[in-house]
Amino acid sequence: MARQAISADQLLQGFDAGKGALPGRGLPWLANLRAQGRERFRTLGLPTAKLEAWRYTRLRPFEDTQFRPATEADGRINVDVIPALLKGAAARIVFINGLYRQELSNVAGLPAGVSIEPLAKALAAGSGWIADHLGRVAGETPQAFFALNTALMDSGVVVKIARGTSLDLPIEIVHVSGLTDRPIMYSPRNLILVEEGASATVLVHHVGLGAGAYFVNGATEVDVRDGGSLRHYTVEAESIDAINLATAHVRVGRDAHYEAFGLAVGGRLSRSEVSIRLAAPGASCKLNGAYLMRGAEHCDNTTVIEHLAPHTSSREVFKGVLDDESRAVFQGRIVVHKGAQKSDGHQLSKALLLSAGAEIDQKPELEIYTDDVKCSHGAAAGQLDAAQLFYLRSRGIPEALARNLLVQAFLAEAVEEVSDIGVREAMMDKVVHWLPAQCYLQEQWRGR
Amino acid sequence: MGPMLDIKNLHVTVGEKEILKGLDLALPAGEVHAIMGPNGSGKSTLSYVIAGREGYEITKGQILFRGEDLAPMQPEERAAKGVFLAFQYPVEIPGVTNTTFLKEALNAIRRSRGESELDAMQFVKLLRRQTKELGIPDDMLKRSVNAGFSGGEKKRNEILQMAVLQPLLAVLDETDSGLDIDALKIVAAGVNRLRSPERSTLVITHYQRLLSYIEPDRVHVLAHGRIQRSGGKELAAELERTGYAEFKAVAAE
């Protein structure tokens, strides 16, 4: 226990040392919010396996790595190519080690009613609506890392889509991390407000450079107002020693729709905890994801979908592929509250284990407090099908390629849930790139 | 040059059990041979061991394909050399479209032979020609491999793969099972189109029916893991009349 208390304090040292450098200083409401976050984090301490949400994920990386707060110098490093995923994006915002890089970003030409700004800039400009929403969508939550983010938030974006505005092309947010002398940590905080009848697509892409350790402690609040619609995608391609913790809170209003897809293709520890509240009649969500892990990587998707009103619907599909000694966790809870009759909730989690050392813990849960609902859940884990492999190989397809085809086919079923075609293709590209390279095998093959 | 396929004193065990017990078979280039036999005689084991399925262990003897021992070769190497097995139970592969599958297979084989890969256009052209002859609708190419296919569609899909890959040796494992007479004719026509002096076909079947459409040069009766009797095509007709009782009795001795 003592060891953990030290770790929690260590993480706060960054706060105390760099307090003056954090964005929004001089705003009393923000100072207050940060102080509350700090206190909450101190009280909660680092999560342990005793907490249901952290039952299968240990925080060992914090025991062997010391993180210092990211500095402006870390954010000023040269990056030759911005790893943009989309050819056509309405806007692109690029952060390097948490620092907004205006010269690499492009937010020009956005239609009226669409506002997208780095958090620091928005706070400096005194955008008043932020005070009304930041921390409010999530409310009081017993999540230590969310509280830590509230205390230390230093990066991220605020997006507002005004009433009735519809933005067709996606907004792409790129977070590049790595290449620092010592392991850094930073805390992106995103706030997305989709007003009544508005719609937009946001893709957040985290990508690591080099093999060094770093820690991204992200938090996101999303409010989709009545009749609004948000497609919210994330791609996490962190470095092999990186930690990415992401906590999101989403509120979906009357007849509003929220679609999320999270793809994780790397990182020592990659954890996403999403809470969605279907708050008014007709609210619906799709919460989907895929993960591909190898080596000693660890991925955790912990989700809660709450049906709080009648005629709400949710659909959740997570699929993952685990190789080597990698591990994954899926904990999915659907709660249908009293009074949320005629609700509809479906959940599916499937994992493909490519090696004997890989491991998955799956915990699907349904809590239903009302009659007249349609709910289902399922979880499965298995290996590549030997009969399918033999069939492909008997047609001349080399084993490695046959395995790739089967893995790709398995994941395609999840990725197809992404309704934005450009994003879907980008995600499938990521999947294909993750697969073991073929060329040398083919060369070897030809040599025979 | 010796026969296309030359199987000598082949012993195969599956698990602990010996299934093939000294099988001899010589299939010359350009010929079609039929293997007939009762259920459990080792027919499917023979087809799988030729194709290289895991778990089928050759304990004695050898399978020579164009003079080369198949035993050390991976299934994909055998395919590249020209061996093709039409499965009794074709495998469903959801998420891989038939077109992707066929293209990957053909190009893998071409690569292994040092030939250039076909691009999408060239491949589609080649594929269209084959599907037309086999009466396969385009929709079947867009669907996942065998997923949700009827029995007849699956078997036709096997013949399509064979037509695209143009093997030197085709082994048809109970390709007639589950086919109505129309599908049977289509399948047989597909096999007959591939007949040529440099190709051979091994038709494994329980019934004589298919052999009315694919006329064999030789018929072998497989029972108890060995070829019990060989003869001309008239042997198939005889078996249809007498059944396999004679060969079942052999076991009792």
Side-chain angles (χ1 to χ4, degrees):
Chain A
M1 287 310 284
R3 191 177 188 178
Q4 295 233 333
I6 290 164
S7 291
D9 277 347
Q10 271 173 354
L11 289 170
L12 280 172
Q13 276 169 13
F15 173 67
D16 296 331
K19 214 176 201 167
L22 291 172
R25 59 183 172 278
L27 295 173
W29 66 268
L30 188 64
N32 200 23
L33 191 67
R34 288 189 188 279
Q36 281 170 16
R38 185 179 197 279
E39 266 328 288
R40 188 172 284 272
F41 179 68
R42 286 212 63 170
T43 313
L44 292 166
L46 283 178
T48 68
K50 283 180 192 154
L51 289 172
E52 203 54 34
W54 287 83
R55 201 161 146 194
Y56 305 103
T57 295
R58 302 283 177 274
L59 286 170
R60 279 191 204 103
F62 291 103
E63 291 166 16
D64 60 33
T65 311
Q66 289 213 13
F67 299 95
R68 64 164 174 82
T71 62
E72 179 154 345
D74 297 321
R76 289 272 164 234
I77 59 164
N78 275 321
V79 175
D80 296 335
V81 182
I82 296 306
L85 286 179
L86 301 176
K87 284 185 208 90
R92 182 168 293 125
I93 295 240
V94 178
F95 295 90
I96 296 187
N97 289 321
L99 182 76
Y100 172 54
R101 294 280 292 263
Q102 188 165 7
E103 80 281 14
L104 305 175
S105 307
N106 183 5
V107 288
L110 282 169
V114 177
S115 140
I116 164 162
E117 281 181 302
L119 175 78
K121 222 175 136 192
L123 289 171
S127 307
W129 66 276
I130 298 174
D132 297 334
H133 289 84
L134 205 63
R136 300 276 177 90
V137 180
E140 292 208 351
T141 156
Q143 293 167 307
F145 284 103
F146 191 88
L148 183 65
N149 177 284
T150 301
L152 304 182
M153 55 179 138
D154 52 8
S155 178
V157 294
V158 292
V159 178
K160 183 167 147 184
I161 314 293
R163 179 187 287 262
T165 306
S166 128
L167 183 65
D168 295 331
L169 287 173
I171 294 166
E172 183 171 11
I173 298 160
V174 186
H175 280 281
V176 181
S177 308
L179 303 182
T180 58
D181 58 344
R182 281 186 294 134
I184 58 155
M185 108 170 234
Y186 67 91
S187 309
R189 178 67 163 252
N190 305 305
L191 173 63
I192 304 175
L193 172 62
V194 178
E195 290 191 337
E196 287 76 3
S199 69
T201 304
V202 175
L203 169 66
V204 184
H205 180 203
H206 285 271
V207 59
L209 297 179
Y214 55 85
F215 169 32
V216 181
N217 181 38
T220 300
E221 291 175 278
V222 175
D223 192 358
V224 188
R225 296 283 182 76
D226 297 355
S229 164
L230 178 68
R231 301 192 288 192
H232 188 192
Y233 305 121
T234 54
V235 173
E236 277 178 22
E238 300 287 21
S239 297
I240 190 164
D241 267 333
I243 303 170
N244 185 310
L245 303 180
T247 314
H249 287 271
V250 181
R251 184 195 169 276
V252 189
R254 176 182 285 266
D255 297 324
H257 182 62
Y258 176 73
E259 175 193 326
F261 192 99
L263 176 70
V265 292
R268 181 178 179 187
L269 170 55
S270 165
R271 184 173 187 278
S272 162
E273 186 169 334
V274 180
S275 309
I276 300 178
R277 280 177 293 142
L278 301 173
S284 63
C285 73
K286 275 187 172 185
L287 174 56
N288 302 318
Y291 47 90
L292 300 98
M293 297 282 134
R294 60 163 58 101
E297 292 172 334
H298 182 113
C299 176
D300 179 334
N301 281 289
T302 293
T303 69
V304 182
I305 298 173
E306 293 188 81
H307 293 255
L308 293 150
H311 298 282
T312 49
S313 74
S314 66
R315 185 187 154 87
E316 185 173 15
V317 179
F318 274 81
K319 290 187 110 179
V321 175
L322 303 172
D323 204 350
D324 304 324
E325 310 281 309
S326 64
R327 280 193 63 176
V329 178
F330 173 80
Q331 300 193 92
R333 195 150 65 93
I334 296 177
V335 187
V336 182
H337 289 268
K338 213 168 171 180
Q341 66 275 10
K342 303 277 184 200
S343 286
D344 186 333
H346 298 282
Q347 181 193 79
L348 180 67
S349 165
K350 276 173 124 175
L352 189 55
L353 307 178
L354 298 181
S355 77
E359 197 182 314
I360 172 97
D361 292 292
Q362 302 184 95
K363 203 177 73 180
E365 281 178 284
L366 286 177
E367 281 177 39
I368 301 174
Y369 301 103
T370 187
D371 303 330
D372 198 12
V373 296
K374 268 191 282 180
C375 283
S376 70
H377 64 183
Q383 298 167 331
L384 283 179
D385 185 294
Q388 290 179 339
L389 263 181
F390 174 61
Y391 191 67
L392 292 171
R393 296 176 69 191
S394 79
R395 297 304 181 243
I397 298 175
E399 184 179 6
L401 181 55
R403 293 173 73 93
N404 279 359
L405 275 174
L406 293 178
V407 169
Q408 224 176 299
F410 173 79
L411 288 169
E413 204 182 49
V415 177
E416 272 159 20
E417 299 285 333
V418 174
S419 68
D420 184 279
I421 291 166
V423 173
R424 188 196 306 158
E425 281 172 5
M427 297 246 184
M428 216 52 220
D429 271 1
K430 277 280 178 196
V431 167
V432 170
H433 277 108
W434 182 88
L435 296 167
Q438 288 308 304
C439 350
Y440 78 96
L441 288 164
Q442 284 157 10
E443 285 305 317
Q444 208 178 39
W445 181 235
R446 196 173 289 148
R448 290 188 195 202
Chain B
M1 192 170 157
M4 165 90 65
L5 179 69
D6 197 0
I7 301 178
K8 293 172 174 167
N9 189 32
L10 185 66
H11 290 253
V12 174
T13 56
V14 182
E16 296 287 288
K17 202 173 170 206
E18 184 169 63
I19 308 285
L20 297 183
K21 305 165 183 172
L23 184 140
D24 290 288
L25 181 73
L27 172 57
E31 293 195 5
V32 172
H33 286 201
I35 302 266
M36 301 186 71
N39 292 329
S41 58
K43 298 197 299 293
S44 281
T45 298
L46 176 61
S47 73
Y48 284 143
V49 80
I50 292 172
R53 186 171 193 149
E54 236 174 85
Y56 292 75
E57 200 196 339
I58 298 175
T59 52
K60 215 194 242 180
Q62 55 182 180
I63 309 172
L64 299 177
F65 174 67
R66 306 176 90 206
E68 274 188 281
D69 188 3
L70 284 182
M73 293 185 206
Q74 297 295 323
E76 54 267 39
E77 295 180 74
R78 301 178 196 210
K81 296 218 182 260
V83 175
F84 181 90
L85 167 65
F87 283 56
Q88 182 179 5
Y89 304 110
V91 179
E92 299 192 4
I93 309 182
V96 178
T97 68
N98 230 353
T99 303
T100 303
F101 169 54
L102 285 162
K103 185 161 172 273
E104 290 292 343
L106 181 64
N107 279 334
I109 288 178
R110 290 179 67 94
R111 278 196 303 270
S112 71
R113 292 178 183 160
E115 297 166 6
S116 64
E117 295 186 26
L118 296 187
D119 63 29
M121 288 275 280
Q122 292 167 315
F123 178 73
V124 166
K125 220 170 136 188
L126 177 148
L127 192 56
R128 281 280 149 75
R129 204 167 56 232
Q130 300 294 352
T131 50
K132 217 172 142 191
E133 289 190 346
L134 288 166
I136 288 174
D138 280 359
D139 143 78
M140 225 166 106
L141 297 172
K142 290 180 201 142
R143 284 155 68 190
S144 291
V145 179
N146 295 324
F149 284 25
S150 71
E153 284 176 327
K154 284 181 180 169
K155 294 301 172 78
R156 251 190 293 167
N157 203 24
E158 292 294 287
I159 300 307
L160 171 64
Q161 292 164 38
M162 186 177 80
V164 168
L165 301 180
Q166 300 269 316
L168 291 171
L169 169 68
V171 179
L172 311 183
D173 187 7
E174 309 256 358
T175 297
D176 49 338
S177 66
L179 289 188
D180 62 30
I181 191 71
D182 292 332
L184 192 72
K185 282 180 184 168
I186 291 172
V187 163
V191 174
N192 287 330
R193 248 198 314 279
L194 269 187
R195 284 181 96 148
S196 74
E198 67 274 12
R199 298 182 206 281
S200 310
T201 307
L202 194 60
V203 181
I204 295 175
T205 182
H206 188 82
Y207 303 103
Q208 188 263 342
R209 196 169 72 133
L210 180 64
L211 303 179
S212 312
Y213 300 96
I214 305 172
E215 205 174 287
D217 296 295
R218 299 277 294 165
V219 174
H220 309 276
V221 181
L222 173 61
H224 312 295
R226 306 178 63 156
I227 301 296
Q228 304 289 348
R229 203 177 142 192
S230 299
K233 61 189 172 209
E234 66 287 349
L235 179 55
E238 184 192 322
L239 285 167
E240 190 74 1
R241 285 194 309 275
T242 60
Y244 294 109
E246 176 190 345
F247 303 101
K248 284 177 183 158
V250 174
E253 283 169 9

